[in-house]
Amino acid sequence: MSSNVKVLHAKKECNHAVAVGSLRVIIQKIQDGWFAQGVEIDFAACGETLDDAQIRFEKGLAATVHRHLERFDSVERLLKFAPNDVVEKLSKGDEYSFDMITIHDLSDTLGLPFQKIAYLEPLPHAV
């Protein structure tokens, strides 16, 4: 499966801007809650409710991007596809995407940078 995800990282002094476009996220109901898994970026989060899983995904991904910027001064190591079985599940249903831009001032504390992320469940035949 090809990827249209685009990641841009710009830096000036302690300020970093990271833009991610067309990142696909699979979100599925699991036994005791919900599971959200990125496709082009191998990051996942769980939550007791759908909203909880989405918030944990957003905050966790933002914190992970922030940590990569602190430690490696780059997001390059974060840009790995999810395991093949995850990609296969996505390819059986519709592909969903969202766009986000995160701003990271490494001299400050981390805030929640996301303004709009749309999560959609896979079609029933994709499970």
Side-chain angles (χ1 to χ4, degrees), residues 25-47:
V25 178
I26 299 169
I27 190 149
Q28 293 182 322
K29 179 82 171 114
I30 56 175
Q31 290 176 350
D32 295 330
W34 291 84
F35 178 75
Q37 168 71 56
V39 176
E40 290 85 5
I41 295 177
D42 187 14
F43 181 82
C46 297

PDB file of all heavy atoms in Angstrom, residues 25-47:
ATOM      1  N   VAL A  25      -5.357   6.682  10.487  1.00  0.00           N
ATOM      2  CA  VAL A  25      -5.465   6.081  11.811  1.00  0.00           C
ATOM      3  C   VAL A  25      -6.624   5.091  11.800  1.00  0.00           C
ATOM      4  O   VAL A  25      -7.745   5.442  11.442  1.00  0.00           O
ATOM      5  CB  VAL A  25      -5.716   7.145  12.907  1.00  0.00           C
ATOM      6  CG1 VAL A  25      -5.878   6.490  14.268  1.00  0.00           C
ATOM      7  CG2 VAL A  25      -4.597   8.172  12.929  1.00  0.00           C
ATOM      8  N   ILE A  26      -6.333   3.847  12.170  1.00  0.00           N
ATOM      9  CA  ILE A  26      -7.382   2.838  12.321  1.00  0.00           C
ATOM     10  C   ILE A  26      -7.871   2.922  13.751  1.00  0.00           C
ATOM     11  O   ILE A  26      -7.071   2.925  14.683  1.00  0.00           O
ATOM     12  CB  ILE A  26      -6.854   1.414  12.077  1.00  0.00           C
ATOM     13  CG1 ILE A  26      -6.304   1.269  10.672  1.00  0.00           C
ATOM     14  CG2 ILE A  26      -7.934   0.375  12.348  1.00  0.00           C
ATOM     15  CD1 ILE A  26      -5.544  -0.023  10.459  1.00  0.00           C
ATOM     16  N   ILE A  27      -9.181   2.960  13.937  1.00  0.00           N
ATOM     17  CA  ILE A  27      -9.723   2.957  15.292  1.00  0.00           C
ATOM     18  C   ILE A  27     -10.757   1.853  15.386  1.00  0.00           C
ATOM     19  O   ILE A  27     -11.637   1.744  14.538  1.00  0.00           O
ATOM     20  CB  ILE A  27     -10.274   4.336  15.709  1.00  0.00           C
ATOM     21  CG1 ILE A  27     -10.606   4.346  17.190  1.00  0.00           C
ATOM     22  CG2 ILE A  27     -11.433   4.766  14.852  1.00  0.00           C
ATOM     23  CD1 ILE A  27     -10.435   5.666  17.859  1.00  0.00           C
ATOM     24  N   GLN A  28     -10.566   0.964  16.353  1.00  0.00           N
ATOM     25  CA  GLN A  28     -11.413  -0.221  16.468  1.00  0.00           C
ATOM     26  C   GLN A  28     -11.878  -0.417  17.895  1.00  0.00           C
ATOM     27  O   GLN A  28     -11.164  -0.095  18.843  1.00  0.00           O
ATOM     28  CB  GLN A  28     -10.648  -1.476  16.044  1.00  0.00           C
ATOM     29  CG  GLN A  28     -10.300  -1.506  14.594  1.00  0.00           C
ATOM     30  CD  GLN A  28      -9.578  -2.792  14.229  1.00  0.00           C
ATOM     31  OE1 GLN A  28      -8.779  -3.297  14.992  1.00  0.00           O
ATOM     32  NE2 GLN A  28      -9.873  -3.290  13.053  1.00  0.00           N
ATOM     33  N   LYS A  29     -13.077  -0.979  18.022  1.00  0.00           N
ATOM     34  CA  LYS A  29     -13.607  -1.389  19.319  1.00  0.00           C
ATOM     35  C   LYS A  29     -12.871  -2.652  19.731  1.00  0.00           C
ATOM     36  O   LYS A  29     -12.683  -3.569  18.941  1.00  0.00           O
ATOM     37  CB  LYS A  29     -15.110  -1.663  19.190  1.00  0.00           C
ATOM     38  CG  LYS A  29     -15.764  -2.128  20.467  1.00  0.00           C
ATOM     39  CD  LYS A  29     -16.100  -0.958  21.348  1.00  0.00           C
ATOM     40  CE  LYS A  29     -16.955  -1.418  22.517  1.00  0.00           C
ATOM     41  NZ  LYS A  29     -16.310  -1.296  23.795  1.00  0.00           N
ATOM     42  N   ILE A  30     -12.386  -2.680  20.982  1.00  0.00           N
ATOM     43  CA  ILE A  30     -11.758  -3.878  21.526  1.00  0.00           C
ATOM     44  C   ILE A  30     -12.546  -4.287  22.761  1.00  0.00           C
ATOM     45  O   ILE A  30     -13.487  -3.604  23.152  1.00  0.00           O
ATOM     46  CB  ILE A  30     -10.260  -3.647  21.845  1.00  0.00           C
ATOM     47  CG1 ILE A  30     -10.079  -2.464  22.795  1.00  0.00           C
ATOM     48  CG2 ILE A  30      -9.457  -3.445  20.569  1.00  0.00           C
ATOM     49  CD1 ILE A  30      -8.657  -2.238  23.248  1.00  0.00           C
ATOM     50  N   GLN A  31     -12.165  -5.375  23.386  1.00  0.00           N
ATOM     51  CA  GLN A  31     -12.930  -5.922  24.512  1.00  0.00           C
ATOM     52  C   GLN A  31     -13.341  -4.883  25.535  1.00  0.00           C
ATOM     53  O   GLN A  31     -14.520  -4.733  25.838  1.00  0.00           O
ATOM     54  CB  GLN A  31     -12.134  -7.022  25.203  1.00  0.00           C
ATOM     55  CG  GLN A  31     -12.004  -8.273  24.390  1.00  0.00           C
ATOM     56  CD  GLN A  31     -11.133  -9.301  25.081  1.00  0.00           C
ATOM     57  OE1 GLN A  31     -10.476  -9.021  26.074  1.00  0.00           O
ATOM     58  NE2 GLN A  31     -11.140 -10.515  24.540  1.00  0.00           N
ATOM     59  N   ASP A  32     -12.392  -4.180  26.111  1.00  0.00           N
ATOM     60  CA  ASP A  32     -12.692  -3.263  27.207  1.00  0.00           C
ATOM     61  C   ASP A  32     -12.602  -1.797  26.812  1.00  0.00           C
ATOM     62  O   ASP A  32     -12.486  -0.933  27.681  1.00  0.00           O
ATOM     63  CB  ASP A  32     -11.734  -3.516  28.380  1.00  0.00           C
ATOM     64  CG  ASP A  32     -11.933  -4.904  28.980  1.00  0.00           C
ATOM     65  OD1 ASP A  32     -13.056  -5.413  28.928  1.00  0.00           O
ATOM     66  OD2 ASP A  32     -10.943  -5.461  29.491  1.00  0.00           O
ATOM     67  N   GLY A  33     -12.622  -1.481  25.523  1.00  0.00           N
ATOM     68  CA  GLY A  33     -12.512  -0.085  25.115  1.00  0.00           C
ATOM     69  C   GLY A  33     -12.269   0.067  23.635  1.00  0.00           C
ATOM     70  O   GLY A  33     -12.830  -0.658  22.831  1.00  0.00           O
ATOM     71  N   TRP A  34     -11.393   0.994  23.300  1.00  0.00           N
ATOM     72  CA  TRP A  34     -11.091   1.335  21.914  1.00  0.00           C
ATOM     73  C   TRP A  34      -9.581   1.377  21.704  1.00  0.00           C
ATOM     74  O   TRP A  34      -8.826   1.693  22.612  1.00  0.00           O
ATOM     75  CB  TRP A  34     -11.691   2.696  21.572  1.00  0.00           C
ATOM     76  CG  TRP A  34     -13.182   2.649  21.525  1.00  0.00           C
ATOM     77  CD1 TRP A  34     -14.040   2.769  22.595  1.00  0.00           C
ATOM     78  CD2 TRP A  34     -13.987   2.466  20.391  1.00  0.00           C
ATOM     79  NE1 TRP A  34     -15.333   2.662  22.169  1.00  0.00           N
ATOM     80  CE2 TRP A  34     -15.332   2.480  20.816  1.00  0.00           C
ATOM     81  CE3 TRP A  34     -13.714   2.291  19.033  1.00  0.00           C
ATOM     82  CZ2 TRP A  34     -16.389   2.324  19.935  1.00  0.00           C
ATOM     83  CZ3 TRP A  34     -14.780   2.143  18.156  1.00  0.00           C
ATOM     84  CH2 TRP A  34     -16.098   2.163  18.609  1.00  0.00           C
ATOM     85  N   PHE A  35      -9.157   1.096  20.461  1.00  0.00           N
ATOM     86  CA  PHE A  35      -7.748   1.055  20.084  1.00  0.00           C
ATOM     87  C   PHE A  35      -7.561   1.915  18.840  1.00  0.00           C
ATOM     88  O   PHE A  35      -8.280   1.748  17.854  1.00  0.00           O
ATOM     89  CB  PHE A  35      -7.335  -0.385  19.803  1.00  0.00           C
ATOM     90  CG  PHE A  35      -5.911  -0.537  19.367  1.00  0.00           C
ATOM     91  CD1 PHE A  35      -4.876  -0.435  20.277  1.00  0.00           C
ATOM     92  CD2 PHE A  35      -5.611  -0.787  18.038  1.00  0.00           C
ATOM     93  CE1 PHE A  35      -3.557  -0.578  19.884  1.00  0.00           C
ATOM     94  CE2 PHE A  35      -4.295  -0.940  17.623  1.00  0.00           C
ATOM     95  CZ  PHE A  35      -3.271  -0.831  18.547  1.00  0.00           C
ATOM     96  N   ALA A  36      -6.612   2.855  18.883  1.00  0.00           N
ATOM     97  CA  ALA A  36      -6.291   3.719  17.744  1.00  0.00           C
ATOM     98  C   ALA A  36      -4.853   3.448  17.322  1.00  0.00           C
ATOM     99  O   ALA A  36      -3.945   3.517  18.143  1.00  0.00           O
ATOM    100  CB  ALA A  36      -6.472   5.187  18.120  1.00  0.00           C
ATOM    101  N   GLN A  37      -4.642   3.129  16.052  1.00  0.00           N
ATOM    102  CA  GLN A  37      -3.317   2.793  15.522  1.00  0.00           C
ATOM    103  C   GLN A  37      -3.027   3.616  14.286  1.00  0.00           C
ATOM    104  O   GLN A  37      -3.785   3.574  13.316  1.00  0.00           O
ATOM    105  CB  GLN A  37      -3.268   1.311  15.157  1.00  0.00           C
ATOM    106  CG  GLN A  37      -2.056   0.887  14.336  1.00  0.00           C
ATOM    107  CD  GLN A  37      -0.758   0.897  15.125  1.00  0.00           C
ATOM    108  OE1 GLN A  37      -0.667   0.252  16.146  1.00  0.00           O
ATOM    109  NE2 GLN A  37       0.238   1.619  14.638  1.00  0.00           N
ATOM    110  N   GLY A  38      -1.927   4.385  14.320  1.00  0.00           N
ATOM    111  CA  GLY A  38      -1.489   5.094  13.133  1.00  0.00           C
ATOM    112  C   GLY A  38      -0.951   4.107  12.113  1.00  0.00           C
ATOM    113  O   GLY A  38      -0.503   3.014  12.470  1.00  0.00           O
ATOM    114  N   VAL A  39      -1.022   4.468  10.847  1.00  0.00           N
ATOM    115  CA  VAL A  39      -0.530   3.582   9.789  1.00  0.00           C
ATOM    116  C   VAL A  39       0.856   4.019   9.335  1.00  0.00           C
ATOM    117  O   VAL A  39       1.811   3.267   9.445  1.00  0.00           O
ATOM    118  CB  VAL A  39      -1.507   3.536   8.595  1.00  0.00           C
ATOM    119  CG1 VAL A  39      -0.937   2.695   7.455  1.00  0.00           C
ATOM    120  CG2 VAL A  39      -2.848   2.967   9.046  1.00  0.00           C
ATOM    121  N   GLU A  40       0.979   5.234   8.860  1.00  0.00           N
ATOM    122  CA  GLU A  40       2.276   5.709   8.364  1.00  0.00           C
ATOM    123  C   GLU A  40       3.243   6.013   9.493  1.00  0.00           C
ATOM    124  O   GLU A  40       4.453   6.019   9.285  1.00  0.00           O
ATOM    125  CB  GLU A  40       2.093   6.955   7.488  1.00  0.00           C
ATOM    126  CG  GLU A  40       1.424   6.681   6.165  1.00  0.00           C
ATOM    127  CD  GLU A  40      -0.086   6.676   6.258  1.00  0.00           C
ATOM    128  OE1 GLU A  40      -0.657   6.980   7.326  1.00  0.00           O
ATOM    129  OE2 GLU A  40      -0.726   6.359   5.240  1.00  0.00           O
ATOM    130  N   ILE A  41       2.732   6.297  10.670  1.00  0.00           N
ATOM    131  CA  ILE A  41       3.546   6.466  11.862  1.00  0.00           C
ATOM    132  C   ILE A  41       3.098   5.393  12.840  1.00  0.00           C
ATOM    133  O   ILE A  41       1.930   5.340  13.228  1.00  0.00           O
ATOM    134  CB  ILE A  41       3.384   7.873  12.466  1.00  0.00           C
ATOM    135  CG1 ILE A  41       3.926   8.915  11.485  1.00  0.00           C
ATOM    136  CG2 ILE A  41       4.105   7.962  13.801  1.00  0.00           C
ATOM    137  CD1 ILE A  41       3.762  10.351  11.941  1.00  0.00           C
ATOM    138  N   ASP A  42       4.002   4.513  13.207  1.00  0.00           N
ATOM    139  CA  ASP A  42       3.655   3.379  14.071  1.00  0.00           C
ATOM    140  C   ASP A  42       3.504   3.858  15.512  1.00  0.00           C
ATOM    141  O   ASP A  42       4.408   3.747  16.327  1.00  0.00           O
ATOM    142  CB  ASP A  42       4.727   2.287  13.967  1.00  0.00           C
ATOM    143  CG  ASP A  42       4.328   1.030  14.719  1.00  0.00           C
ATOM    144  OD1 ASP A  42       3.146   0.896  15.088  1.00  0.00           O
ATOM    145  OD2 ASP A  42       5.197   0.175  14.937  1.00  0.00           O
ATOM    146  N   PHE A  43       2.334   4.416  15.771  1.00  0.00           N
ATOM    147  CA  PHE A  43       1.995   4.871  17.109  1.00  0.00           C
ATOM    148  C   PHE A  43       0.579   4.431  17.407  1.00  0.00           C
ATOM    149  O   PHE A  43      -0.290   4.496  16.533  1.00  0.00           O
ATOM    150  CB  PHE A  43       2.111   6.400  17.224  1.00  0.00           C
ATOM    151  CG  PHE A  43       1.795   6.895  18.599  1.00  0.00           C
ATOM    152  CD1 PHE A  43       2.747   6.866  19.600  1.00  0.00           C
ATOM    153  CD2 PHE A  43       0.517   7.341  18.905  1.00  0.00           C
ATOM    154  CE1 PHE A  43       2.445   7.285  20.882  1.00  0.00           C
ATOM    155  CE2 PHE A  43       0.211   7.760  20.179  1.00  0.00           C
ATOM    156  CZ  PHE A  43       1.176   7.733  21.172  1.00  0.00           C
ATOM    157  N   ALA A  44       0.325   3.989  18.624  1.00  0.00           N
ATOM    158  CA  ALA A  44      -1.000   3.508  19.000  1.00  0.00           C
ATOM    159  C   ALA A  44      -1.352   3.974  20.400  1.00  0.00           C
ATOM    160  O   ALA A  44      -0.469   4.287  21.210  1.00  0.00           O
ATOM    161  CB  ALA A  44      -1.053   1.986  18.928  1.00  0.00           C
ATOM    162  N   ALA A  45      -2.649   4.005  20.684  1.00  0.00           N
ATOM    163  CA  ALA A  45      -3.143   4.348  22.019  1.00  0.00           C
ATOM    164  C   ALA A  45      -4.464   3.637  22.252  1.00  0.00           C
ATOM    165  O   ALA A  45      -5.182   3.312  21.300  1.00  0.00           O
ATOM    166  CB  ALA A  45      -3.327   5.855  22.148  1.00  0.00           C
ATOM    167  N   CYS A  46      -4.760   3.377  23.526  1.00  0.00           N
ATOM    168  CA  CYS A  46      -6.026   2.749  23.926  1.00  0.00           C
ATOM    169  C   CYS A  46      -6.784   3.699  24.831  1.00  0.00           C
ATOM    170  O   CYS A  46      -6.194   4.551  25.489  1.00  0.00           O
ATOM    171  CB  CYS A  46      -5.781   1.461  24.701  1.00  0.00           C
ATOM    172  SG  CYS A  46      -4.951   0.195  23.779  1.00  0.00           S
ATOM    173  N   GLY A  47      -8.101   3.498  24.889  1.00  0.00           N
ATOM    174  CA  GLY A  47      -8.925   4.271  25.804  1.00  0.00           C
ATOM    175  C   GLY A  47     -10.178   3.505  26.161  1.00  0.00           C
ATOM    176  O   GLY A  47     -10.579   2.583  25.448  1.00  0.00           O
TER     177      GLY A  47
END
